Amino acid sequence: MAWIKRHRNNILLGLILMLTAVLLFNRIGKIGDGNAYYTATVSSMLTSWHNFFYASFDPGGFITVDKPALGFWLQCLFGLIFGVHGWSLALPGILCSIASVFVLYKLVARYFGEPTGLLAALMLALTPIFVAATRTNNLDASLVLVCLLAVWAAVIAAEKGSLKHLILAAALIGVGFNIKMLQAFLYLPAIYLVYFFTAKTKWTTRLWHLAVATGVLLILSLSWCVIVDLTPADSRPYIGSSQTNSAIELALGYNGLSRLLGAVRGGAGSGMVSSLTTMNGGAPNEGGDVGVLRLFNADMAAQASWLLVSALLGLLALLYRTLTEKDKDARRGVLRQLLLWGGLLAPMVVFFSVAQFFHRYYLIMLAPVIAALAAIAVREAMRLFARDGETGRNRWMNLALPILFAVSAGVEIYILSAYYPDQARVLVPIIATISALAIGGLIAVKRLKREDKPIFKAVVAVGLLAILVTPGVWSVMTSFEARNNVVPTAWLSQTANRPYAQDGGVRPDNNADRPYQMPNSDGNHQNDGAPPVQLNIRLGSSLPDNLVRYLVEHDIGARWLVAVPNANIAGPVMLEYDVSIMALGGFAGNDDVLDLEGFMSLVESGQLQYYWIAITDKSEIARWVEQNGAVIEPTVWGGEVYKTGTLYDLTGLFQ
């Protein structure tokens, strides 16, 4: 028993990390290809060093993925070791998220003590979107770890006035930029605030330290982009999802300001998709209407907002301590924590409240911040509860802990009642009962003056159970799901997860076995009164199986077997049949990669064998193919009478 008591915190940390691993690894083998767009990219990157460096989506090196290469290099390593599968490429993110739980524990425990660090780690592990976003081969989990390590380095830098630690923090954010570009900069304001206002050195020294760190940040952030942009366009793939074939423009545009402003990229030359709005079924913004309370709406609340009010109370508690702390060094330490966590929370809350184009799984960036501040709120409320019981000063502060539990439970009851009535019938009585027991227990503890006794800690544990049961249920249920790994969301997402379809439209639901109704030219899922055009297709691919088999059987070894409208069609086929397919319009079909002259040159040189013209493809290239290519009738490849597109043989145009 003595050994257990001595190592209690390490044991508890181990259990929390084990819980995290169970939630993240559970049924991970069931995710299939995962995000096939990224999985196909890794498969292509492993075919040559050229594709590896540029993150080429296809083995032929036609177009890149819509992110930098660095984030995929780690996945390539795991692909080499375990083979290219959805689960093997999800492993790096899972390991990164387990490490993130540990790093958050260390960050919080450094100033607030190990129990608070343990609570923050547990809250992060039980954040539903943290579980959902990690259980894919998307890049966000690795980005979160890099950013948390940058925060750790920044705190050390401020405590010591250390330039080398500040440079390390900047370098890590630069690495993050090369994972998901400007998304990494969401953590940057906190680093600057902490160092400028609390570093243990003169303010003039802080300025030149920050200037040096900023230089390092820019050099590392833009290094890959600059190398790519300086490479002649004909010596590398086209930069996918950019408008000007520029990696820097990709960073600042599609992966930068477009996320905030929702700029519509209209009228790509491919003619397959008119805009990002069309690409995402008329609603590229998954977060619902812009507004102050957006994080509590039907789209967002269950993803990461269960403890958001607790986090805001934690921020208020840090502000109160900063204003009331009399010791100068102690005040600097509290101010550092206020600027750190407030500098992380505020920019992200603002971004997710007003951003016009993002996916909800980006909320994984906010998850560690909410977890840390919610744990700090509990710790500070406990401190006030115990202190004021002894001193008799500011007796209203005795209510801090009961208010925290009551408000937090109330928010969860509201979310459940407003958006999840079936679950509310079970969970609301549980939350209300446990919360009432905790609040009643706190009143009893205060009256009996037992603030420092084990019974007080037991009552607090009951209160924590009340506010953690719902996010815990959501996280556990999320861990049993293996669905929609392109755009992951936590269990019972209030809006349908919509995998991308052939022409930039979306499926009406997540059931891959249900027929998909093709949209007509104006984007509506109707056919002007005609029977719906239906097609039984694999999730993520809208090429009929018979057609794909025909293509593979007649492959003559051209650089690209077939050109298709977008990567969402190409990816699953490439993975299943190990062929090179040209995603002519990039990820969603709206990249203006080739003009007609370039396409003709490519065909005449024998590099492209077939072209699949989707029914919505009205481009100049499509018209040229219709006039010059040889039609392959559906009866030849075993298709049905109806058509979702037409296959053309281009080999007769080879010179």
Side-chain angles (χ1 to χ4, degrees):
M1 292 297 293
W3 181 89
I4 293 177
K5 186 175 182 179
R6 188 166 61 252
H7 297 280
R8 177 184 58 191
N9 289 333
N10 288 334
I11 294 172
L12 290 173
L13 176 60
L15 291 174
I16 292 171
L17 294 176
M18 288 177 59
L19 171 64
T20 306
V22 169
L23 291 173
L24 300 182
F25 276 108
N26 185 33
R27 300 188 70 193
I28 197 64
K30 302 290 186 180
I31 69 171
D33 289 335
N35 184 337
Y37 178 50
Y38 289 160
T39 306
T41 296
V42 171
S43 179
S44 297
M45 289 171 69
L46 290 173
T47 62
S48 72
W49 286 109
H50 180 271
N51 289 346
F52 178 81
F53 180 78
Y54 292 109
S56 175
F57 166 72
D58 58 287
F62 176 70
I63 195 167
T64 71
V65 73
D66 63 358
K67 299 293 183 292
L70 180 61
F72 297 102
W73 289 346
L74 184 59
Q75 292 190 11
C76 284
L77 174 61
F78 278 72
L80 277 175
I81 297 173
F82 300 106
V84 177
H85 314 283
W87 65 265
S88 64
L89 304 189
L91 285 180
I94 291 175
L95 296 178
C96 285
S97 281
I98 295 172
S100 291
V101 172
F102 177 78
V103 173
L104 184 66
Y105 158 75
K106 285 292 188 180
L107 267 172
V108 176
R110 182 178 183 85
Y111 187 83
F112 296 98
E114 291 186 348
T116 310
L118 290 170
L119 181 57
L122 177 62
M123 288 177 167
L124 177 57
L126 295 181
T127 302
I129 199 60
F130 179 75
V131 177
T134 300
R135 290 167 51 80
T136 73
N137 55 320
N138 290 314
L139 303 172
D140 299 75
S142 56
L143 175 61
V144 168
L145 175 59
V146 168
C147 289
L148 286 176
L149 289 172
V151 167
W152 167 82
V155 170
I156 303 297
E159 289 176 352
K160 298 181 177 180
S162 170
L163 175 60
K164 67 179 181 180
H165 282 93
L166 183 62
I167 289 176
L168 176 60
L172 286 166
I173 295 295
V175 171
F177 184 93
N178 282 284
I179 294 175
K180 287 204 74 177
M181 295 186 157
L182 281 183
Q183 187 173 325
F185 282 11
L186 287 171
Y187 274 58
L188 205 53
I191 293 174
Y192 278 86
L193 286 171
V194 165
Y195 197 81
F196 181 77
F197 286 104
T198 71
K200 208 168 184 180
T201 184
K202 296 185 298 183
W203 72 268
T204 52
T205 303
R206 297 175 201 171
L207 285 176
W208 75 261
H209 279 189
L210 286 169
V212 171
T214 301
V216 172
L217 170 71
L218 293 176
I219 290 171
L220 283 178
S221 295
L222 298 176
S223 56
W224 182 83
C225 292
V226 170
I227 293 172
V228 170
D229 283 358
L230 289 178
T231 303
D234 58 0
S235 299
R236 59 167 172 81
Y238 182 92
I239 305 304
S241 294
S242 73
Q243 298 183 68
T244 59
N245 196 12
S246 165
I248 292 179
E249 184 258 307
L250 174 68
L252 300 179
Y254 179 77
N255 287 319
L257 293 178
S258 289
R259 304 288 169 172
L260 179 64
L261 304 177
V264 174
R265 298 171 58 234
S270 64
M272 299 165 196
V273 181
S274 62
S275 68
L276 281 173
T277 301
T278 305
M279 179 189 78
N280 211 13
N285 193 342
E286 297 178 15
D289 294 337
V290 169
V292 176
L293 298 179
R294 184 201 239 174
L295 285 166
F296 295 100
N297 69 18
D299 296 307
M300 305 275 275
Q303 305 301 308
S305 300
W306 300 108
L307 297 174
L308 179 55
V309 171
S310 302
L312 294 172
L313 293 175
L315 205 59
L316 288 176
L318 288 176
L319 178 61
Y320 173 79
R321 276 197 63 187
T322 302
L323 295 175
T324 57
E325 186 63 62
K326 293 181 173 54
D327 182 79
K328 182 178 180 180
D329 289 337
R331 189 186 312 118
R332 184 195 294 265
V334 179
L335 176 62
R336 182 176 297 126
Q337 296 300 313
L338 174 65
L339 294 175
L340 172 63
W341 300 111
L344 290 171
L345 183 70
M348 283 192 273
V349 167
V350 170
F351 172 80
F352 287 116
S353 296
V354 303
Q356 298 293 324
F357 173 48
F358 69 94
H359 298 300
R360 283 170 288 177
Y361 68 86
Y362 296 176
L363 287 167
I364 191 177
M365 298 288 289
L366 186 56
V369 184
I370 292 177
L373 280 170
I376 291 169
V378 174
R379 190 259 191 188
E380 291 299 298
M382 289 177 64
R383 187 183 66 86
L384 291 171
F385 187 88
R387 187 198 69 180
D388 291 332
E390 295 174 358
T391 65
R393 294 182 292 110
N394 299 325
R395 295 187 65 84
W396 65 273
M397 284 295 181
N398 294 337
L399 299 175
L401 193 55
I403 288 174
L404 172 64
F405 287 142
V407 171
S408 300
V411 169
E412 295 185 8
I413 289 173
Y414 165 76
I415 294 172
L416 287 166
S417 301
Y419 311 130
Y420 303 95
D422 292 340
Q423 287 67 37
R425 280 192 285 270
V426 176
L427 291 173
V428 167
I430 293 175
I431 296 171
T433 300
I434 300 176
S435 297
L437 289 174
I439 293 170
L442 289 173
I443 295 172
V445 165
K446 179 58 66 176
R447 287 187 174 276
L448 296 173
K449 300 186 183 302
R450 295 291 187 91
E451 294 91 341
D452 294 327
K453 301 297 180 180
I455 189 172
F456 173 51
K457 296 179 180 179
V459 172
V460 172
V462 173
L464 291 174
L465 177 62
I467 64 175
L468 288 178
V469 63
T470 302
V473 167
W474 244 257
S475 295
V476 169
M477 296 306 296
T478 298
S479 78
F480 278 94
E481 293 189 337
R483 61 173 173 84
N484 194 20
N485 294 291
V486 176
V487 186
T489 52
W491 182 57
L492 292 182
S493 169
Q494 274 295 294
T495 55
N497 298 306
R498 297 164 291 193
Y500 300 115
Q502 142 181 337
D503 64 336
V506 292
R507 296 178 194 276
D509 53 40
N510 292 313
N511 191 338
D513 296 325
R514 292 187 59 182
Y516 172 63
Q517 182 173 315
M518 291 293 297
N520 58 25
S521 59
D522 63 8
N524 296 319
H525 289 265
Q526 305 171 10
N527 286 284
D528 301 323
V533 178
Q534 295 182 339
L535 186 66
N536 284 324
I537 51 180
R538 296 182 302 277
L539 180 60
S541 169
S542 54
L543 286 184
D545 288 329
N546 290 342
L547 172 63
V548 175
R549 284 192 289 269
Y550 174 87
L551 291 172
V552 173
E553 290 170 0
H554 293 80
D555 184 359
I556 62 173
R559 187 174 182 181
W560 293 282
L561 175 59
V562 62
V564 298
N566 60 58
N568 292 288
I569 299 173
V573 179
M574 287 167 55
L575 289 169
E576 185 168 347
Y577 293 96
D578 192 25
V579 293
S580 181
I581 298 180
M582 176 185 290
L584 190 59
F587 171 59
N590 56 350
D591 289 350
D592 194 3
V593 184
L594 280 179
D595 58 15
L596 178 58
E597 182 179 354
F599 182 83
M600 292 170 57
S601 175
L602 183 147
V603 171
E604 291 169 357
S605 62
Q607 298 184 69
L608 176 62
Q609 187 174 350
Y610 293 101
Y611 190 103
W612 170 257
I613 300 182
I615 58 173
T616 53
D617 187 352
K618 308 301 180 185
S619 66
E620 185 180 25
I621 290 176
R623 290 195 298 270
W624 182 84
V625 170
E626 289 174 339
Q627 295 170 3
N628 297 277
V631 176
I632 307 296
E633 296 294 341
T635 53
V636 175
W637 52 262
E640 303 290 342
V641 175
Y642 58 77
K643 298 179 180 180
T644 59
T646 305
L647 181 66
Y648 285 83
D649 186 348
L650 305 179
T651 56
L653 304 175
F654 290 0
Q655 292 182 357

